[in-house]
Amino acid sequence: MATTAAPAGAPAAPRVRRSPLWWPAVAVTAAAAVVYTLLTRRLSGDLRYVLGALRLGGDSGYSPSEVFTHRPFFYRWFVALLDLPTAGGTAVRETVIGVEGALVAAAAALALYAALLRRVTAREAAVTAGATGLALVLAPRTDFLQPEWAAVLLAVLGVAAALGVRRPWPAALLAALPLGLAVMMKYSTASTAAFAVLLIGLADRGRALRAALAAVPAAAALFGLSVLLGSHEWQWTEDMPRINQSALGRTGLRPGEILAHSVSFLADRALLSPALLLLPGALLLLLARTRGRARRLELLAVAALVVAGSLAVVIVQGNWFPYHAVQLTVAAAAAWGLAVGGSTGPPPWRFGAVSLACGALPVLYPHAPGGLQRPATVWALGLLALLAAAADVRRRRPAPVRTAALFTLAGVVCLAGPVWPGSPHLVRHGKVTATNAAFLRDTAREEAEAERLRARIPAGAPVLYLAFGDTAYHVDRPAGCRYPIATFLQRSRFLPDVAGLPSFAENADCVDHDPAPYAILDRAWFRLAHVDPGLRARVRATYACPPPSEDTPTVVCTRR
């Protein structure tokens, strides 16, 4: 990854003196953005789902090994460990978890910096590792601490270990653990580990081969360990893919629809993480200073595989959730850092100006007229970044030290774009459907609604949650079941064959086998009229619920 300008084994370029004036300005700006983010971001609904399930299941005596959360074994333990030192109110606990996530991301960036120092200048190493770390810490809320995010973090540690340890085989063995764990975060994240090996190969093919040879058996051993330690892990591994109604295996291959979705998805992804718009331009700048046609072709091939592979993971899962491609946005940030941190070649002023403009995109775009909020607008800005890089390649002047600091400052602004109140929280087909400020307002409403529900349930009383994950998270009463959130039961609303799964049967037993004295029913999410008929009869026979009301779709039911 770090040797695009010279073949493997070439001596590192001379180190460049850092400016005593400009670099502190970059550090202060980055630190301010990080502090603001950690104090204001709050966690996404997906994280609340996992945390809620683990907490409620834990209150009932189930460990993270035995609680179903629609996430694999090692990811459940990752989140549980982050939650272990938290205390206090919801906002405080979420802030603590955010700080912990930032600290592990900073540690990964520092390890990457130390590894890159062996192969590039101090400036290139600092800007590349810094951009990678900030892309993780300042990630959009929908990305932060997701399984894909965790896999990227582990992949960065794997790259650092493979390139940073002096002897090749010890380096490969050390890299095997984080790369294997990256696979275990969601199984589909095996692609992220594969991308890490490809990037290692750009620097040293031998080390990449050794890392792959060590990581494959490590991932297999970790999976076997998860099956051994979790009594239901194999069953859930078989059942989980079958509750996804959008998976490619259910919908079939429809090339035209996939192409249209892909074009729209990448634009949406770039609105949430504008560094993605800079990837083609950064790649062009790297190619311009890469020596040898073979090396250029190698760099292009790796870049194409990372982009195509990231998109393939999204297509196979079929949900088109932005966080499924977080590895692509972090790779774009790292490529940008390596491109602008180079000590040779012209200062890419035009590309730097577009980088700064991309930082303003998330703030300005939600206020654009509806006619401009479309994928074509986003793609146009990406084309502008590429043209700016092409224009910069034609210039031939040495870059002063302060130039790198100025461009790095523009990169910090770009990477911080997703965290501001007016920036998009959700985007679909180029339209901003919710901003960060709107998300926080919705969170306040959810907390008030949860307080209303909690007031009707005695403290410590077990609850059957037939409700969305956010409701369970905020109500925070013990679940009394290894399926704290009825995901399998709810999926029968869309997929009748889910009722034949072993996990569905176990989840359904929570309804009427030693049932909880209370149930929370969210009629908007868990529509009794549409779920499996047998399940519907069991719920109605066990619980008495208030009559439907448009004003209060979520109600507390009592055991008959």
Side-chain angles (χ1 to χ4, degrees):
M1 180 174 69
T3 55
T4 56
R15 303 194 178 198
V16 180
R17 180 179 62 85
R18 298 180 184 177
S19 165
L21 299 176
W22 289 103
W23 288 103
V26 174
V28 169
T29 304
V34 168
V35 170
Y36 172 82
T37 301
L38 296 179
L39 292 178
T40 62
R41 176 163 45 196
R42 303 294 297 267
L43 298 180
S44 69
D46 289 321
L47 262 294
R48 290 172 177 172
Y49 164 83
V50 177
L51 282 166
L54 293 176
R55 289 173 183 173
L56 302 179
D59 291 342
S60 301
Y62 294 101
S63 77
S65 303
E66 301 297 330
V67 175
F68 177 80
T69 66
H70 205 176
R71 295 289 186 261
F73 178 92
F74 282 103
Y75 179 75
R76 297 199 301 273
W77 275 104
F78 168 70
V79 174
L81 290 175
L82 290 177
D83 195 34
L84 189 63
T86 64
T90 301
V92 174
R93 297 183 76 174
E94 291 189 1
T95 300
V96 171
I97 291 173
V99 170
E100 291 173 317
L103 288 176
V104 294
L110 184 61
L112 181 62
Y113 170 72
L116 293 180
L117 278 178
R118 296 171 54 87
R119 298 172 181 274
V120 296
T121 68
R123 192 173 72 200
E124 285 176 302
V127 178
T128 303
T132 302
L134 284 176
L136 289 168
V137 175
L138 302 179
R141 180 187 299 103
T142 49
D143 293 348
F144 188 59
L145 295 179
Q146 291 276 18
E148 288 79 1
W149 183 96
V152 174
L153 172 77
L154 290 162
V156 172
L157 288 171
V159 171
L163 296 179
V165 176
R166 184 173 61 86
R167 298 175 62 189
W169 272 114
L173 294 175
L174 185 60
L177 180 59
L179 292 177
L181 285 172
V183 177
M184 291 297 101
M185 289 297 98
K186 199 179 170 183
Y187 307 142
S188 62
T189 50
S191 61
T192 302
F195 300 155
V197 173
L198 289 174
L199 296 176
I200 294 168
L202 285 177
D204 192 314
R205 296 186 187 90
R207 286 179 179 255
L209 179 60
R210 292 181 179 90
L213 290 174
V216 170
L222 288 169
F223 177 72
L225 184 63
S226 71
V227 172
L228 181 66
L229 297 179
S231 63
H232 286 64
E233 203 63 27
W234 181 258
Q235 173 184 310
W236 290 338
T237 301
E238 288 187 312
D239 287 356
M240 279 191 294
R242 299 176 65 181
I243 65 176
N244 180 9
Q245 67 265 31
S246 302
L248 188 65
R250 284 189 176 272
T251 63
L253 187 64
R254 292 175 285 190
E257 185 175 321
I258 288 175
L259 178 61
H261 269 302
S262 299
V263 171
S264 177
F265 171 82
L266 289 174
D268 294 347
R269 179 69 262 191
L271 279 171
L272 294 175
S273 299
L276 184 58
L277 294 172
L278 304 175
L279 178 58
L283 183 61
L284 181 61
L285 292 174
L286 289 173
L287 288 170
R289 67 177 218 251
T290 299
R291 302 192 189 108
R293 178 179 298 178
R295 289 289 291 171
R296 293 193 185 101
L297 290 175
E298 183 181 19
L299 176 58
L300 277 173
V302 170
L305 285 173
V306 170
V307 173
S310 298
L311 195 55
V313 171
V314 181
I315 293 170
V316 169
Q317 294 180 87
N319 300 116
W320 302 96
F321 295 149
Y323 63 82
H324 287 163
V326 63
Q327 70 276 10
L328 184 58
T329 65
V330 178
W336 179 93
L338 191 60
V340 304
S343 58
T344 61
W349 291 108
R350 297 174 179 84
F351 186 65
V354 177
S355 300
L356 192 62
C358 286
L361 176 66
V363 179
L364 299 177
Y365 187 87
H367 302 287
L372 288 178
Q373 289 192 23
R374 57 181 60 191
T377 303
V378 184
W379 283 99
L381 185 57
L383 177 61
L384 179 63
L386 178 61
L387 294 176
D392 286 326
V393 165
R394 297 174 61 87
R395 302 180 66 192
R396 291 290 181 267
R397 287 192 314 177
V401 173
R402 66 175 180 270
T403 298
L406 285 171
F407 283 106
T408 305
L409 188 60
V412 171
V413 172
C414 180
L415 292 171
V419 307
W420 309 123
S423 297
H425 168 66
L426 294 175
V427 185
R428 185 169 178 80
H429 302 309
K431 303 290 185 182
V432 177
T433 59
T435 63
N436 290 332
F439 172 85
L440 296 177
R441 289 194 298 269
D442 290 342
T443 294
R445 284 195 293 268
E446 289 170 358
E447 291 173 337
E449 173 68 7
E451 187 62 34
R452 179 186 69 82
L453 297 170
R454 190 165 48 244
R456 302 192 59 184
I457 303 172
V463 174
L464 173 69
Y465 289 94
L466 304 177
F468 197 57
D470 281 20
T471 299
Y473 174 80
H474 290 300
V475 171
D476 197 26
R477 292 284 193 263
C481 177
R482 76 169 68 248
Y483 297 84
I485 301 167
T487 306
F488 278 100
L489 304 186
Q490 190 263 355
R491 286 296 190 274
S492 66
R493 167 186 169 187
F494 307 101
L495 303 169
D497 60 310
V498 167
L501 299 177
S503 300
F504 178 93
E506 288 184 350
N507 197 170
D509 281 345
C510 298
V511 175
D512 50 11
H513 287 67
D514 190 21
Y518 297 91
I520 294 180
L521 174 63
D522 180 356
R523 289 192 171 97
W525 183 74
F526 196 93
R527 298 193 176 187
L528 275 176
H530 295 87
V531 299
D532 176 72
L535 171 65
R536 179 168 63 248
R538 295 168 74 172
V539 172
R540 288 174 173 169
T542 306
Y543 291 98
C545 300
S549 169
E550 292 184 2
D551 297 333
T552 56
T554 305
V555 296
V556 175
C557 308
T558 56
R559 189 174 60 197
R560 294 185 186 276

